[in-house]
């Protein structure tokens, strides 16, 4: 069975600084996808970034980038130039490419301070 | 496009009462899902439907039933609510975008309290 582990329950960062959120996963599959979702106080789940396991290049989306280490089964999220609006829960998620199921980690609560 | 919509947004039930959570999507997606979110637990899959007319159990299906009414709608029913079902419920749908990405789009959630 696949599992997703986020070992940092809470993180904080000052505005304009950089922060990295950690995620590790366990799977024996070779075809899979990894995601980071943001959940602000509004509760809406917002996709931040995605990574296909077969791609070696790390995904980037503006201020958000990932460090995908396939052999180590690690998938960390880096937020550069942090903004107050980045304050939210962040969930790492895994999807087996052969099934329809997303498996989520327990989340990291990020607080951005002015 | 409204995306994924859920009704109601909030609900309070007494133990033993029944209710149905409604979900609809207007993105012509085949796959739809129901999750629950509990504090410190992340989201866990209750049921999913890979296509109209099919449903399958997820990680935590006990106490729930689902109906895939048509391609747009996927409802979640609690036949006899229990306090352990107090949670936030999310519906999601999945489409395959150009390039083969598999992204799930989420509704705004329903906060359910069972007294």
């Amino acid at each position: 069975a696949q599992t997703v582990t986020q070992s940092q329950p809470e993180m904080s960062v000052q505005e304009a600084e950089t922060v990295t959120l950690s995620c590790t996963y366990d799977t024996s599959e070779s075809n899979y996808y990894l995601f980071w979702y943001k959940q602000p106080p509004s509760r809406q789940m917002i996709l931040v970034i995605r990574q296909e396991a077969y791609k070696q290049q790390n995904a980037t989306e503006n201020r958000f980038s990932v460090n995908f280490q396939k052999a180590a089964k690690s998938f960390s999220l880096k937020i550069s130039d942090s903004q107050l609006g980045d304050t939210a829960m962040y969930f790492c998620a895994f999807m087996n490419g052969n099934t329809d199921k997303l498996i989520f980690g327990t989340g990291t609560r990020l607080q951005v301070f002015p | 496009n409204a995306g994924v919509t859920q009704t109601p947004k909030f609900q309070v039930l007494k133990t033993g009462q029944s209710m149905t959570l409604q979900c609809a999507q207007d993105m012509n997606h085949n796959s739809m899902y129901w999750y629950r979110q509990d504090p410190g637990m992340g989201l866990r899959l209750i049921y999913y439907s890979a296509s109209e007319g099919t449903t399958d159990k997820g990680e935590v299906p006990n106490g729930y039933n689902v109906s895939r009414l048509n391609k747009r709608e996927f409802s979640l029913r609690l036949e006899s609510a229990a306090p352990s079902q107090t949670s936030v419920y999310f519906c999601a749908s999945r489409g395959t975008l150009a390039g083969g990405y598999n992204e799930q789009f989420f509704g705004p959630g329903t906060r359910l309290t069972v007294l």
Side-chain angles (χ1 to χ4, degrees):
Chain A
Q2 290 90 10
T3 58
V4 177
T5 302
Q6 293 180 251
S7 59
Q8 305 155 315
E10 294 184 355
M11 295 280 286
S12 62
V13 64
Q14 197 143 25
E15 201 175 4
E17 297 296 309
T18 295
V19 63
T20 299
L21 308 184
S22 301
C23 173
T24 59
Y25 59 96
D26 187 22
T27 184
S28 58
E29 300 292 333
S30 58
N31 177 25
Y32 57 89
Y33 300 81
L34 295 164
F35 305 85
W36 279 97
Y37 280 89
K38 171 185 178 181
Q39 187 181 42
S42 67
R43 284 205 316 254
Q44 182 68 50
M45 293 291 287
I46 303 164
L47 180 66
V48 175
I49 198 164
R50 67 176 78 83
Q51 175 82 42
E52 294 88 341
Y54 63 85
K55 289 188 176 180
Q56 291 185 338
Q57 187 172 5
N58 289 326
T60 62
E61 287 287 342
N62 301 314
R63 298 183 295 108
F64 299 88
S65 62
V66 298
N67 183 3
F68 175 44
Q69 301 289 328
K70 191 171 183 177
K73 296 180 181 174
S74 171
F75 182 60
S76 60
L77 174 70
K78 185 170 83 170
I79 305 174
S80 303
D81 185 25
S82 297
Q83 300 176 0
L84 296 177
D86 295 333
T87 293
M89 283 287 288
Y90 286 83
F91 291 96
C92 179
F94 169 99
M95 178 188 282
N96 184 324
N98 299 318
T99 73
D100 265 350
K101 302 177 183 180
L102 263 179
I103 298 169
F104 285 85
T106 52
T108 296
R109 184 177 303 279
L110 176 67
Q111 179 74 51
V112 180
F113 290 98
Chain B
N1 286 351
V4 180
T5 57
Q6 292 181 235
T7 56
K9 287 187 169 51
F10 302 92
Q11 184 71 50
V12 178
L13 293 177
K14 294 181 180 177
T15 297
Q17 286 185 318
S18 63
M19 78 160 296
T20 300
L21 280 64
Q22 306 286 354
C23 174
Q25 53 93 7
D26 60 2
M27 295 175 282
N28 201 35
H29 289 168
N30 284 322
S31 299
M32 297 185 73
Y33 313 80
W34 276 105
Y35 294 90
R36 61 178 288 173
Q37 183 179 22
D38 302 303
M41 296 290 290
L43 278 75
R44 292 182 293 168
L45 183 65
I46 305 171
Y47 269 94
Y48 69 105
S49 170
S51 63
E52 184 180 353
T54 67
T55 61
D56 284 290
K57 294 178 180 179
E59 184 183 354
V60 288
N62 291 345
Y64 305 96
N65 286 302
V66 290
S67 296
R68 185 71 184 269
L69 304 169
N70 47 56
K71 192 171 186 179
R72 290 188 61 250
E73 299 172 291
F74 188 39
S75 62
L76 178 72
R77 182 160 179 83
L78 287 71
E79 291 291 351
S80 179
S84 61
Q85 294 178 303
T86 294
S87 189
V88 179
Y89 291 84
F90 287 95
C91 178
S93 69
R94 180 176 75 88
T96 301
L97 305 177
Y101 298 138
N102 286 274
E103 176 178 347
Q104 289 193 17
F105 296 86
F106 287 81
T110 294
R111 182 178 293 278
L112 175 67
T113 302
V114 183
L115 303 174

